[in-house]
Amino acid sequence: LSTLLEDPRAIATLVAGVCGLLLFWRLQERWREKAQEGLVAQRDEYRAAEMKRIAEEVEERRRHKALEKELKRARWEAKELEETRRATEAEAQEVLLREKMQQNYARLEASKRDKLLAEKKAVAARQAAREQEQL
């Protein structure tokens, strides 16, 4: 060791080796830092992509819920319109049935009156014929 320390080339080689080792460690540390930065950047990109995906999913669920609500309201409105239509149709059918029944009743009453009138005329004609026979 003492002979190596006396030789300037050996000292230079030793210093160069130590400096090279220190430089290598420093470069290795920088590479590790850059790799770490790359991993952090990838993780940040992944997080941003996940947040975007989650936001889109939440928005899709909100839209889906709004559409379900709108569909439910539309079904309710259609049901109400159908019930109103049926009620109106039933009322119209009831009015038509009443009118028909009134017409039938009026026709029967007219028929009865005509028969009674015809019977009265027939009775009056028979009475007149009897009276003429008696004279």
Side-chain angles (χ1 to χ4, degrees):
L1 185 65
S2 63
T3 57
L4 283 177
L5 291 176
E6 291 176 5
D7 187 15
R9 286 190 322 193
I11 293 175
T13 305
L14 186 62
V15 170
V18 170
C19 287
L21 185 60
L22 290 174
L23 183 62
F24 176 73
W25 283 342
R26 181 68 181 136
L27 286 174
Q28 191 177 20
E29 187 178 318
R30 280 190 181 170
W31 291 334
R32 189 175 47 235
E33 286 173 0
K34 285 199 180 246
Q36 187 69 21
E37 288 173 3
L39 288 174
V40 169
Q42 284 179 346
R43 186 174 50 214
D44 289 344
E45 287 176 15
Y46 176 77
R47 282 184 182 166
E50 279 297 304
M51 292 301 288
K52 183 178 178 184
R53 184 190 63 78
I54 290 170
E56 288 173 355
E57 189 174 310
V58 167
E59 180 64 22
E60 181 64 28
R61 285 181 184 172
R62 189 191 61 75
R63 273 184 281 163
H64 188 269
K65 197 172 191 178
L67 287 174
E68 282 181 354
K69 189 175 182 180
E70 186 177 330
L71 178 62
K72 188 176 180 181
R73 185 175 44 82
R75 284 180 180 162
W76 179 81
E77 287 176 354
K79 182 180 175 185
E80 287 294 315
L81 286 174
E82 181 64 20
E83 288 176 1
T84 303
R85 184 193 63 79
R86 285 181 184 169
T88 304
E89 189 176 302
E91 288 176 10
Q93 290 295 330
E94 188 177 320
V95 166
L96 290 174
L97 183 61
R98 276 194 200 128
E99 288 177 0
K100 186 177 178 181
M101 290 177 75
Q102 285 177 346
Q103 288 172 354
N104 286 342
Y105 180 75
R107 192 171 48 242
L108 287 173
E109 286 295 317
S111 176
K112 265 189 195 177
R113 272 195 313 264
D114 290 346
K115 283 182 182 177
L116 284 175
L117 188 59
E119 281 182 28
K120 283 183 182 179
K121 284 184 181 178
V123 168
R126 277 187 255 148
Q127 242 182 358
R130 278 189 206 150
E131 284 179 2
Q132 278 221 346
E133 279 180 12
Q134 287 177 354
L135 286 175

